[in-house]
Amino acid sequence: MPRRRTSSSSSSSTAPSAAPAPATPRNRTPQPVRVRRRSFGDFVKAFLAFVVLLALVAGVPLALAVTVGWPLPNGAPGLDWLQREITVQTFLHILTVIVWLAWAQFTACVLVEVKAALSGVGVPGRVPGSGPSQLLARQLVAALLLVGATAASLTPGLSQLGQSLEGNQKPSVAAAQQTPGLFAQQQEQAASTANALAEQAGQAGQDAARADGGGSAAHGDTKYYRIQPPEGRHHDSLWEVADRHLGDGRRYKEIFELNKDRVQPDGSKLSEASLIRPGWIMEMPGDARGGELVEMPDEAPNVSEQVQQQISDYARTGGDHAQGGGGAQGGGDAHVSLPEQRPAPAPATPVTPATPAPGPATGGQHATPAAEESGRSFGLPEALLAAPLLAAGLLGALGRRRRQALWHSALGAVGGRRGMEPPTPTGDAQDAQDALLIGADPDGVRLLDRSLRGLAASLAAESRGLPVVYAAWMGGNGDLHLQLAQPAGKPPTPWQVGQDQTFWMLARADAERYEDAETAAPYPGLVSLGTMDDSRLLLNLEAVPGLVSLSGAEADRAAVFASVAAELATNGWSDRMTITLVGFGDDLTPLAPNRIRHLDGFEDLFETMSAETRQRRGALGAAGHDSVLTGRTGPAQHTRWAPHLVLLAAQPSDEDALRLAELAADAGRLGIGYLVGTGGTDLPGAAWEMEITGDGKLLAPLLGLELEAQLLPVAQQRAVVELFTDADPERGPGGPANTPPFLVDISEQGRPAVYARLVGSYEIIGLDAPDGDRSAQLHEALALLLLHREGVHPRVLASALWPRGVTEDVRDALLERLRAWLGTDPDGTPRLGTDATGRLTLAKSVVSDLDVLRSLYYEATQGRGVDSRQVRGRLLTDALVLVRGPLLADRPEGRYRWLTHEIIDAQLPLLVADTGLALSEFHLERGRAEKAIEALNAALRTAPADERLWHELLRATHATEDADRLRALAADLIGRSGARGLPPRTEALLDELLPTWRDGVAAAG
């Protein structure tokens, strides 16, 4: 959708740069509806249509009755009727019956079309088996009613009589691709439809260019049109509106796409171009002209206040409707002006109106999530923005790596290094992290994983084996299609048979009802290759009966290989696997050291894979399985039959290719997959051949595929690897120090202007409460900025607040409200600023209790408290007082979902535990065991799982020399441990402090 800049009426004068003036004067006064005058040609067409309809509807039966008469026998035929001689008269009677049936069908089509055209409501009913007959009837009725009633649904030309009616009634994307598949026949049909759409788009672009005065770009404010009530037999329609205001009725599709699925004032939605109602509001393209258009409703004196409010409310829904574009949201004002720049459609570009922007929606109708808002990258890597499943896997793996580093640091596992804060990425690594946060679709990964495991569990419950799956398609609406190697019977509920017996389909609504299943991942070898229309293809590499070859330029092949390797290493729908990389320039091992291994060349690969192939064949034979799929549903499903996927980026020689083809001949049933790069020549033994082009297209002609390839170019690959390398807990003493990203002035003179309490219930001191409708969003945005003092990219903020995506103008409007709410410091500096990289930052006068907690702990352990015991004790005590509960304890349901990507949930308990341990040590040094116990108990309320706190509590309790109290604490620990028992270190400490503790356990047992 086009980008819009929103400015409220109160702030437009202060905008830094004014929008360009429209090419023609804007008429702000609504005028009465003007019905287009009919030309003489319209009357001629209507007359000819009437003559043809009269001849076909009345003339045909009259001629048949006069010339042939009644063709059927007058009585019941006897057996001798079958032995009569077949004469010319018999053939004439048969032909007459056929003509009567055709006439009846055509007459029914005429009646259906006349009813739909006169009523102006609903899509014309479809007469079974009518095909071209109904299209002909539609054109004749349209021409006849052109002089009186509208015919918005009668737009197909007579040249389309050769096409099926079903295809003409389907949406464009559905017509281009009914159900995703790898069969060439289906893709040929999709290609022919796409070509037709391209021709239509080209014609529309040429017409629009002519109407705009030689192809100049249309500039002007977004305009709105209100559907008028009927006048006599005239009913308003999108065709009429487009004809009056855009100069071409065929451009009604542009109006339809701008307003599709947006909520109208009466609560309903526009779903079909012919289903419009009086009073509905239509957003118009930027080059629309005409007196009845409304640009700024608050400046239109002849528009009622109710209509003004409806138009303004409709404008604000543009960021949330299904197509991801549209209206705007003002900065809290009731009426807004929406400047817009909308180029005409490119003549040679196929039209795919329902294709979502790249992002986290791929698994859902978000899809998208939080993805491409306006076609611009804002400096972030497009490859990661357009790969939602890959981004979700990388983001999840990076979070696990950082948590692991935190625990290693807390336990002093790496050279005594203590680092509470992970390193802050900079440069390309920071851009890559932002792109991961924006593009990730964790919901899509979760639904895919649960759907596949749920299918495996259902088949196991029915004692059925897993079918061989070649590919999976994730539609833009969230539906999942599995393409089977061969028919496998009826799928288990709630799965359904797709377009034929080789497709199983699961609707998103059914997938969301799945829960986590205790079963092995059935298809861990699925990996994303790219998108076609609004569907994402995942190829099952381990199921291919042979090699998969990838040809193209070396740099393009490397980007595909890196994407495949990164997703396989981090995806969320597999348990265990081995990924062997050969010929990769950059080492991807940091992404998943337990999964990825690099080999130097083909000889090492052949030696390794020959041995594994023999081992897998023997293991399958010994277990009595015919393939790894049957083994995955057996008793050893969690420990055996993990896939081994080989990515050979370097092109093998002809001799090596033959040896590899022999090795891969039986790989499909063994769970071994091979993806081999070639320079363009045929690869011996290749079951499937693909090609990556210089413009990012992934082609597989034999499979009928043309995808927008999922890529990970070298620059983005290195940035992602840097993120993982910096978070590696094994990096050594050069790792991050225990320095907070933002230190607060904790003296009396450092009192902040705005103070937010995040640890516990959310509370803000120093600001007036914002407007009730905006309060939740503003609080959430401020919390995100407070947790990232290094700065937040505007698109990261937008993806956090609107996971399903939002337009740029709505995001900017929120930022303006946030700036106004936070205000400025006494010196005039805004408290919400922007750094050199364009990221949003808070002023030092805006502080949270988490910032104060970190600063107090830092000063006590590495600052002033190092040289003064008294200062250290006071600072640690003040820090522990700030802890009132978990982070954002009372956050509303459905919000703050971005916290799942943060590591603050691991940082805060560790910080509290370290504070409690330091304060306990301070008190024990002075012989105050009770004070130490009090501090430890306070820390345990926030970090109850920290083993270090329990150990220190045991020591402090032992220091009181109260044996009964120590035994009670030991009993409490044993009760908390449950069936797992006490950790070994805790048992060893109890043996030292309370040697008789095991006697109590035995007595209790």
Side-chain angles (χ1 to χ4, degrees):
M1 296 298 294
R3 297 183 293 274
R4 297 174 181 78
R5 177 178 57 81
T6 303
S7 59
S8 66
S9 58
S10 62
S11 61
S12 59
S13 61
T14 61
S17 60
T24 59
R26 297 178 297 180
N27 188 337
R28 302 182 184 277
T29 305
Q31 301 293 333
V33 176
R34 296 177 300 173
V35 181
R36 183 175 67 88
R37 295 183 177 275
R38 308 303 182 189
S39 64
F40 176 75
D42 293 336
F43 286 96
V44 173
K45 292 178 183 178
F47 176 74
L48 294 177
F50 174 76
V51 172
V52 174
L53 281 174
L54 185 64
L56 292 177
V57 175
V60 170
L62 183 62
L64 290 175
V66 172
T67 58
V68 181
W70 185 252
L72 300 178
N74 295 324
L79 294 178
D80 60 338
W81 180 76
L82 298 175
Q83 300 175 355
R84 293 179 185 176
E85 181 181 0
I86 299 177
T87 63
V88 174
Q89 193 66 24
T90 304
F91 278 110
L92 288 177
H93 284 177
I94 295 174
L95 182 60
T96 302
V97 172
I98 295 174
V99 174
W100 272 107
L101 293 175
W103 170 84
Q105 183 189 60
F106 179 77
T107 303
C109 294
V110 171
L111 295 176
V112 168
E113 295 296 331
V114 169
K115 178 181 180 298
L118 291 179
S119 64
V121 178
V123 178
R126 179 170 163 266
V127 180
S130 58
S133 297
Q134 188 163 1
L135 285 177
L136 177 61
R138 179 175 298 179
Q139 297 304 313
L140 294 174
V141 172
L144 178 61
L145 299 181
L146 189 62
V147 295
T150 182
S153 62
L154 309 180
T155 54
L158 289 174
S159 61
Q160 294 176 318
L161 286 176
Q163 304 178 13
S164 66
L165 178 64
E166 293 84 347
N168 285 312
Q169 288 183 338
K170 289 181 179 178
S172 57
V173 173
Q177 181 185 0
Q178 296 180 8
T179 304
L182 299 177
F183 301 113
Q185 180 180 1
Q186 299 160 354
Q187 302 308 321
E188 290 173 1
Q189 296 174 356
S192 64
T193 308
N195 292 334
L197 289 172
E199 295 176 2
Q200 296 176 10
Q203 183 63 37
Q206 296 170 6
D207 295 343
R210 288 194 297 269
D212 198 30
S216 61
H219 298 272
D221 285 353
T222 297
K223 304 169 182 66
Y224 297 91
Y225 175 85
R226 188 173 176 85
I227 301 300
Q228 301 298 320
E231 293 184 0
R233 297 185 62 198
H234 173 78
H235 294 258
D236 218 345
S237 71
L238 295 187
W239 179 278
E240 292 277 347
V241 173
D243 187 66
R244 290 198 304 270
H245 301 295
L246 300 177
D248 188 349
R250 288 174 295 180
R251 293 185 63 188
Y252 79 98
K253 296 181 180 179
E254 297 179 34
I255 306 175
F256 174 73
E257 292 301 329
L258 281 174
N259 299 275
K260 181 182 177 184
D261 292 336
R262 292 173 65 176
V263 179
Q264 294 292 336
D266 61 358
S268 54
K269 296 181 181 180
L270 175 66
S271 57
E272 296 289 344
S274 61
L275 296 177
I276 59 175
R277 301 176 185 174
W280 279 12
I281 298 168
M282 295 291 114
E283 180 184 346
M284 300 292 290
D287 58 343
R289 300 289 181 267
E292 57 215 62
L293 299 176
V294 177
E295 296 175 17
M296 297 181 68
D298 51 342
E299 296 183 17
N302 295 330
V303 177
S304 66
E305 292 184 2
Q306 180 182 5
V307 174
Q308 293 178 24
Q309 186 62 43
Q310 288 177 356
I311 295 176
S312 296
D313 293 341
Y314 187 76
R316 286 195 291 269
T317 66
D320 299 325
H321 81 282
Q323 299 305 313
Q329 187 168 350
D333 295 327
H335 312 299
V336 294
S337 174
L338 304 173
E340 166 183 59
Q341 179 178 355
R342 187 190 313 282
T349 303
V351 179
T352 54
T355 303
T362 303
Q365 59 220 60
H366 69 339
T368 175
E372 197 66 56
E373 303 158 348
S374 57
R376 294 193 288 129
S377 67
F378 292 88
L380 299 180
E382 292 284 354
L384 296 175
L385 292 173
L389 302 184
L390 169 61
L394 289 171
L395 198 60
L398 182 60
R400 291 190 295 271
R401 180 68 55 83
R402 286 175 172 172
R403 285 174 171 81
Q404 183 183 11
L406 280 176
W407 283 107
H408 275 239
S409 175
L411 297 175
V414 184
R417 176 171 59 89
R418 301 289 296 272
M420 292 300 303
E421 303 295 335
T424 301
T426 58
D428 291 342
Q430 188 177 22
D431 290 340
Q433 178 175 273
D434 288 342
L436 293 178
L437 289 168
I438 297 170
D441 181 17
D443 287 341
V445 173
R446 176 181 56 85
L447 287 178
L448 176 62
D449 182 45
R450 288 186 175 181
S451 299
L452 296 177
R453 293 180 193 267
L455 174 63
S458 300
L459 291 172
E462 298 177 7
S463 299
R464 297 171 59 185
L466 290 168
V468 177
V469 170
Y470 279 161
W473 290 88
M474 295 185 68
N477 58 357
D479 294 348
L480 176 62
H481 300 258
L482 295 183
Q483 185 164 358
L484 313 184
Q486 57 188 4
K490 182 180 179 181
T493 306
W495 290 77
Q496 305 173 14
V497 175
Q499 66 188 59
D500 57 40
Q501 295 297 320
T502 61
F503 277 89
W504 286 1
M505 190 272 290
L506 180 67
R508 180 184 178 91
D510 295 327
E512 288 177 340
R513 288 193 287 268
Y514 267 123
E515 297 181 355
D516 293 332
E518 291 295 330
T519 185
Y523 305 111
L526 286 170
V527 63
S528 303
L529 292 183
T531 57
M532 183 165 63
D533 291 335
D534 62 341
S535 296
R536 181 169 299 275
L537 171 67
L538 291 90
L539 183 66
N540 191 6
L541 282 179
E542 67 166 338
V544 179
L547 304 176
V548 179
S549 68
L550 176 66
S551 61
E554 184 176 0
D556 298 327
R557 295 201 318 262
V560 175
F561 273 104
S563 171
V564 170
E567 185 169 299
L568 288 174
T570 60
N571 70 48
W573 55 88
S574 62
D575 298 321
R576 299 169 54 250
M577 70 168 59
T578 300
I579 306 167
T580 297
L581 306 180
V582 183
F584 278 69
D586 292 326
D587 192 353
L588 294 174
T589 303
L591 301 184
N594 295 330
R595 286 191 177 186
I596 295 179
R597 66 179 178 184
H598 285 256
L599 295 181
D600 294 334
F602 181 80
E603 288 301 327
D604 293 339
L605 173 66
F606 187 76
E607 179 181 355
T608 300
M609 297 313 300
S610 296
E612 179 153 351
T613 299
R614 289 193 300 269
Q615 186 273 334
R616 290 201 173 212
R617 283 175 180 160
L620 281 177
H625 299 310
D626 57 349
S627 73
V628 296
L629 289 179
T630 56
R632 283 180 189 154
T633 56
Q637 55 176 307
H638 291 285
T639 58
R640 303 173 66 181
W641 320 122
H644 188 159
L645 304 175
V646 178
L647 306 182
L648 184 60
Q651 180 175 352
S653 64
D654 293 341
E655 180 182 355
D656 291 339
L658 290 174
R659 297 170 63 191
L660 196 60
E662 294 179 5
L663 198 61
D666 195 27
R669 74 181 189 92
L670 303 178
I672 302 176
Y674 294 87
L675 178 61
V676 184
T678 67
T681 58
D682 294 336
L683 182 69
W688 292 350
E689 297 178 346
M690 298 185 297
E691 177 188 0
I692 179 65
T693 65
D695 58 354
K697 298 287 186 180
L698 189 65
L699 310 177
L702 296 180
L703 305 175
L705 288 176
E706 181 176 346
L707 305 172
E708 292 290 339
Q710 179 172 297
L711 306 173
L712 188 60
V714 173
Q716 283 78 56
Q717 177 184 342
R718 290 174 178 168
V720 169
V721 171
E722 181 181 343
L723 287 173
F724 279 80
T725 303
D726 289 343
D728 188 358
E730 305 282 338
R731 287 193 311 140
N738 185 20
T739 304
F742 175 66
L743 287 173
V744 180
D745 183 1
I746 57 178
S747 66
E748 289 295 332
Q749 293 75 26
R751 188 175 299 275
V754 178
Y755 182 66
R757 293 179 175 175
L758 304 179
V759 184
S761 58
Y762 195 178
E763 181 182 357
I764 298 179
I765 302 172
L767 291 177
D768 295 332
D771 179 80
D773 295 337
R774 316 291 187 193
S775 178
Q777 278 187 339
L778 293 176
H779 278 74
E780 186 174 359
L782 180 57
L784 178 61
L785 292 168
L786 286 168
L787 293 178
H788 289 277
R789 302 305 301 235
E790 73 277 8
V792 177
H793 196 288
R795 294 195 63 193
V796 174
L797 180 68
S799 66
L801 300 182
W802 293 280
R804 296 195 175 188
V806 70
T807 54
E808 186 179 347
D809 50 2
V810 176
R811 179 200 66 198
D812 292 343
L814 175 75
L815 292 179
E816 289 303 319
R817 286 192 292 272
L818 185 59
R819 285 192 177 95
W821 182 44
L822 291 176
T824 59
D825 286 333
D827 60 356
T829 304
R831 291 173 182 153
L832 178 61
T834 305
D835 64 10
T837 64
R839 289 171 171 81
L840 303 168
T841 58
L842 292 174
K844 293 183 178 181
S845 59
V846 183
V847 172
S848 73
D849 55 355
L850 184 59
D851 296 327
V852 178
L853 177 61
R854 287 167 166 165
S855 300
L856 287 171
Y857 177 76
Y858 174 79
E859 284 292 334
T861 57
Q862 300 184 42
R864 292 177 295 159
V866 174
D867 300 325
S868 174
R869 289 174 46 83
Q870 183 178 2
V871 172
R872 182 167 73 253
R874 178 174 56 81
L875 293 174
L876 292 173
T877 302
D878 291 344
L880 208 54
V881 169
L882 293 174
V883 180
R884 300 175 297 119
L887 187 74
L888 298 168
D890 56 352
R891 59 180 179 266
E893 185 178 359
R895 290 197 172 273
Y896 300 88
R897 298 176 62 184
W898 46 270
L899 278 174
T900 58
H901 300 314
E902 306 285 339
I903 63 167
I904 186 62
D905 60 338
Q907 286 177 298
L908 181 58
L910 285 175
L911 178 58
V912 173
D914 279 0
T915 304
L917 291 170
L919 186 56
S920 171
E921 181 182 3
F922 169 78
H923 287 307
L924 288 176
E925 287 177 352
R926 308 189 69 169
R928 297 196 293 252
E930 292 296 340
K931 289 287 187 180
I933 293 174
E934 181 181 345
L936 294 168
N937 284 325
L940 280 169
R941 285 194 287 270
T942 299
D946 198 310
E947 188 179 358
R948 299 171 302 157
L949 289 175
W950 291 105
H951 291 175
E952 197 64 21
L953 184 59
L954 286 171
R955 294 188 179 96
T957 305
H958 180 265
T960 63
E961 299 181 354
D962 188 341
D964 293 336
R965 190 173 180 181
L966 184 58
R967 277 192 293 268
L969 178 59
D972 185 26
L973 271 175
I974 295 169
R976 291 173 180 269
S977 63
R980 294 177 301 175
L982 293 174
R985 292 183 181 180
T986 306
E987 287 189 356
L989 183 59
L990 281 174
D991 287 338
E992 176 187 348
L993 302 178
L994 187 64
T996 60
W997 73 274
R998 297 182 187 273
D999 298 335
V1001 174

